[in-house]
Amino acid sequence: MDSDATSLGRSALVDETANAIRARIMSGEIPIGAQLRQAELAAQLGISRTPIREALRQLQAGGLIEVLPRRGAVVRVPSPWEVREAYEVRAELEGLACERAVRRVTRTLLDELRQTSEVLRANERPPAPPGPGGPVSPTTIANDRFHTLIHEMAGNERLARTIRDINEAFPRNVSALVLQDDPRHRADNLAEHERIVAALEAEDAKLARREMRDHVLAAGEQLARWYERRTATVFRG
Amino acid sequence: MDSDATSLGRSALVDETANAIRARIMSGEIPIGAQLRQAELAAQLGISRTPIREALRQLQAGGLIEVLPRRGAVVRVPSPWEVREAYEVRAELEGLACERAVRRVTRTLLDELRQTSEVLRANERPPAPPGPGGPVSPTTIANDRFHTLIHEMAGNERLARTIRDINEAFPRNVSALVLQDDPRHRADNLAEHERIVAALEAEDAKLARREMRDHVLAAGEQLARWYERRTATVFRG
DNA sequence: CCTCGCAAAGTTGGATCCATCGTTGGACGC
DNA sequence: GCGTCCAACGATGGATCCAACTTTGCGAGG
C-alpha cells in the first residue's frame, strides 16, 4: 500500500527502520533466536543506535522480538503450542472475514482470487526452493494476496489489522516454507483455496466461513509441525 | 498480577513508563486528542526524554496514540466507525472465548463470575459518578473481572492477548463511562452477564457464544454512541 | 582436570547535546 | 483593518556520552 517515505513528506525513520528489521526477520535472513545487536544494526543501516532502539520497542510491542533488560533483544522462538493457539484465533478471524466478504463479492474480485490460484497451479513444481533469506517466492506472494484480498473484501480494517498483527508475530509466513516443502500440502492448499472461492461465488456465507476456518487451521497445524521439526533439529545440533 | 519492578530484578523502566502513560490515557486523565509532550512527561516521571520516546513507540504500535513526524504524539481520537469495527471483532473473539470456556467451567469459577454480578447489583445506584481521571470505580473493576475470568477460562493466551490489545486501543474502557451514565444500560449489562453465566452453567457452548457476542456488540454500540456524543460536544466548544 | 573467582571487554540504557523543523506573535505593507 | 512575511521560541529527533551491568576469558587454587 503506502510506501516508506515518498508519500507526503511524512518521513519516519523509526518506522522505516522497524519495517526493515521486521522484513529481515520475517524472511528468515535474521533467524529465530538470533540476538539483535543495536550497534550492528545501526552500522548496517547507516544510522545511530537511537532510532534502532525505538524500532526495537515497536517490534517488542508486536511480540515478534523479546527485549530482556540489559541483555539485549532476541527474535522470539515460538513454541508449537503458541502457534496452535494463534492459528485458532486467526482461523476464527479469517473465517469471519470470509463470511463478511460474501456480502461484497464482485465478479472482478472473484477473478482476482482465481488469478492467485493460477499462480499456485503454475508453480506446482517450483524451480528452486529458495533458502532462508532469499527473495519471496511467487507462491508465497500469491498466497498472501489471496488472503489479503479477502480481508479487504470483508470491509473491516480492524479485522484486517488484527489478522496481520497475529501473522507478524511469527517469523516466516506460513506459506513460505511449509507449502514449498511438500507437494501434497501445495495441492491441498490449492484445493482449499478453490473451495473457498466456490463458496464465495455461491454466496454461501456459512460455508465460506467454515472452509476458510478449516483452511487456516490446517495451515496452522502444518506451521506448528514445522516449528516442532525445527526445534528438534536445533537441539540435535 | 505482576507489579512494576519488585518481581525479580527484571526491571524495565521503559515498560513501566509505557504502562504509566497508558494508564493515564485509559483513565481519561490524559484526554483524547491531547498532545503528549516528551519534556512534560519526562519531568512528571522524573526521568529523561529517552525512555519516554521508547515508551511512546510502544503505545504507537498498539494504536493508542499517533506519532506525527516532527509534530509530536497525540492520543488518537477514535471515530464511532472505528469503534464499531473493533467491537465486531471483539464480539467474535469474546464469543469464541466463551464457547471455549464451557469446556473448562468449574463450580469455583462460576462462583467467581457470580461475585462480579453481586458487585454490579450492589452498585446499581452508584454513590458518586466519578469524573474523568478519577479512580476506577468498583463497577468497572467487576466488569473487567467478569470478562477477564472468561478469557482465562478459555485457555488460549493468544486469544486473551488479542482481545486485550483491541481494548487497549481505545481510551476509557467500555464499562467505565457508558455503564455509569444510564441506569438502564447498567440493568441490561447485568442481565446479559447473568444470561452468560447461565449458559456457561448449562454447558451450552453455542448459546454461551451467542450471548457473549450479543453482549459485546451491545456494549460496543453504547461506546460508539458515547464517542458520537463526545465529538459532537467537542465541536460545539 | 575441574571449579571458582576476578578482571577486562563489550553491550545496554539513561542523560545530554545540537541541528532541524514547526509554531507563534508581532511588525510591515497593502 | 486585514493579510503576509519574518524572526524568535519551542519541540522533536538523531547523535553522542557515560555509567552500570552482563558476559567472557584467563589464572589461581583445590
Side-chain angles (χ1 to χ4, degrees), chain B residues 176-237:
Chain B
L177 277 187
V178 177
L179 284 182
Q180 308 250 336
D181 280 353
D182 190 344
R184 183 158 162 268
H185 292 158
R186 289 203 303 274
D188 287 348
N189 184 65
L190 179 57
E192 287 159 13
H193 278 207
E194 285 175 343
R195 278 206 299 277
I196 291 167
V197 174
L200 285 173
E201 189 168 27
E203 297 186 15
D204 187 336
K206 285 297 167 198
L207 179 63
R209 178 180 187 133
R210 201 166 350 115
E211 295 284 7
M212 177 58 94
R213 199 187 119 89
D214 294 346
H215 168 55
V216 174
L217 281 179
E221 186 57 32
Q222 294 307 322
L223 184 63
R225 294 245 176 88
W226 182 78
Y227 272 110
E228 277 172 355
R229 277 178 299 175
R230 214 202 76 89
T231 53
T233 307
V234 165
F235 277 113
R236 270 187 288 148

Side-chain angles (χ1 to χ4, degrees), chain A residues 163-174:
Chain A
I163 296 171
R164 184 172 52 77
D165 286 347
I166 293 179
N167 270 340
E168 288 184 350
F170 299 96
R172 273 289 188 185
N173 204 332
V174 215

